[in-house]
Amino acid sequence: MEKKVLPPRYYLAHFKEFLNYHQQHAWHLCADAERGYINEFLSLPEHAQCVLVRMYNRKSDFVEQSSLHYEEIDHVPLALALLKRRQWVRHVQEHEFAAWLESLTKLELINLCKELELPGIALSAKKPMWLAYCQQTLCFGHVRHSQLFLSYLVHSYNSVLHYLLFVFFGRINSSMTQFSLRDLGIRRTNKGEIGARFNELDEAKSAVFLR
């Protein structure tokens, strides 16, 4: 059996299919925030759309900018500049600082301490010890202007995307990777089953917070 190969921008096609479903079948379940999000996303240049969806598909909310270079995406720096300017992406905020610190690798924690001219601990120490040292030593104000900190971005619409995924798949903790599994013949999506699940916006909004 011949192995299926997905096209270069498969993830963008999946995301547009996902948004089209909401426009065609679940618009009544979208408030102003979701409708604005969908319309504004579709108005972005395609290279910016690609970068944004690549960010959505990462396991971590915190994405290092230099890791966002892909062969099929042209002008990534320009795309990021546009996304920052239009507030689609932003830097880590103070309430996210602890989670960001935990997401760093041991090498990043070491380099952060070096950049801030901190003594650190033994290089042979494992990541949990380095993390504990940084948690005890560093604060948001201490780190926010560092090169490492500024190299990380977060997309700005977590709650909106979370809700749209819930409306489409009917469950929380869903992701766009299920489209790829579908195209590879591994798994089907719930597309077409969700429209009748909720009749009213308030009903859908309440359900997502109860799950």
Side-chain angles (χ1 to χ4, degrees), residues 49-112:
Q49 292 177 346
C50 286
V51 170
L52 204 51
V53 177
R54 281 292 194 180
M55 290 184 70
Y56 293 157
N57 288 342
R58 294 293 182 91
K59 291 182 179 180
S60 174
D61 290 337
F62 310 110
V63 180
E64 209 278 326
Q65 295 179 64
S66 67
S67 70
L68 286 168
H69 287 275
Y70 299 91
E71 289 185 3
E72 80 280 3
I73 307 177
D74 298 323
H75 312 301
V76 171
L78 291 176
L80 285 172
L82 175 65
L83 293 172
K84 291 174 189 176
R85 192 162 61 249
R86 296 193 184 178
Q87 299 182 340
W88 281 91
V89 298
R90 55 173 174 76
H91 291 295
V92 178
Q93 296 178 347
E94 187 168 7
H95 69 278
E96 301 163 322
F97 175 68
W100 172 75
L101 205 59
E102 290 179 7
S103 76
L104 298 180
T105 65
K106 172 186 169 180
L107 181 59
E108 286 176 316
L109 293 170
I110 292 172
N111 288 338
L112 180 61

Side-chain angles (χ1 to χ4, degrees), residues 118 120 134 176 179 203 211:
L118 296 173
C134 290
M176 298 303 298
F179 281 91
E203 181 187 6
R211 297 300 176 96

Side-chain angles (χ1 to χ4, degrees), residues 4-210:
K4 291 185 178 180
V5 178
L6 297 176
R9 294 187 173 185
Y10 67 91
Y11 53 90
L12 182 59
H14 291 163
F15 197 73
K16 287 184 175 180
E17 178 185 343
F18 167 72
L19 297 183
N20 182 66
Y21 172 82
H22 288 85
Q23 289 179 311
Q24 298 296 321
H25 305 289
W27 205 238
H28 65 294
L29 302 178
C30 296
D32 289 345
E34 290 79 40
R35 293 183 180 190
Y37 169 89
I38 292 170
N39 290 332
E40 290 175 26
F41 177 89
L42 293 173
S43 73
L44 288 170
E46 189 166 290
H47 66 298
Q49 292 177 346
C50 286
V51 170
L52 204 51
V53 177
R54 281 292 194 180
M55 290 184 70
Y56 293 157
N57 288 342
R58 294 293 182 91
K59 291 182 179 180
S60 174
D61 290 337
F62 310 110
V63 180
E64 209 278 326
Q65 295 179 64
S66 67
S67 70
L68 286 168
H69 287 275
Y70 299 91
E71 289 185 3
E72 80 280 3
I73 307 177
D74 298 323
H75 312 301
V76 171
L78 291 176
L80 285 172
L82 175 65
L83 293 172
K84 291 174 189 176
R85 192 162 61 249
R86 296 193 184 178
Q87 299 182 340
W88 281 91
V89 298
R90 55 173 174 76
H91 291 295
V92 178
Q93 296 178 347
E94 187 168 7
H95 69 278
E96 301 163 322
F97 175 68
W100 172 75
L101 205 59
E102 290 179 7
S103 76
L104 298 180
T105 65
K106 172 186 169 180
L107 181 59
E108 286 176 316
L109 293 170
I110 292 172
N111 288 338
L112 180 61
C113 290
K114 287 181 179 178
E115 183 181 353
L116 298 174
E117 299 182 347
L118 296 173
I121 57 176
L123 292 177
S124 60
K126 295 188 180 297
K127 179 189 169 178
M129 295 183 66
W130 273 97
L131 177 59
Y133 171 79
C134 290
Q135 289 171 329
Q136 294 168 7
T137 309
L138 301 175
C139 66
F140 180 76
H142 194 187
V143 172
R144 62 181 299 186
H145 298 298
S146 68
Q147 184 176 344
L148 179 67
F149 179 86
L150 294 175
S151 72
Y152 272 85
L153 295 174
V154 181
H155 61 84
S156 303
Y157 291 93
N158 273 327
S159 61
V160 172
L161 188 58
H162 175 81
Y163 174 74
L164 293 175
L165 287 166
F166 173 76
V167 169
F168 186 89
F169 289 107
R171 59 185 181 272
I172 60 173
N173 300 324
S174 298
S175 72
M176 298 303 298
T177 58
Q178 293 177 69
F179 281 91
S180 302
L181 296 176
R182 177 203 64 187
D183 287 0
L184 292 170
I186 299 172
R187 180 183 297 177
R188 65 186 293 273
T189 68
N190 286 350
K191 184 180 178 182
E193 301 177 0
I194 308 305
R197 194 182 299 271
F198 303 110
N199 294 317
E200 303 290 340
L201 172 62
D202 289 345
E203 181 187 6
K205 289 284 187 177
S206 297
V208 73
F209 291 113
L210 292 174

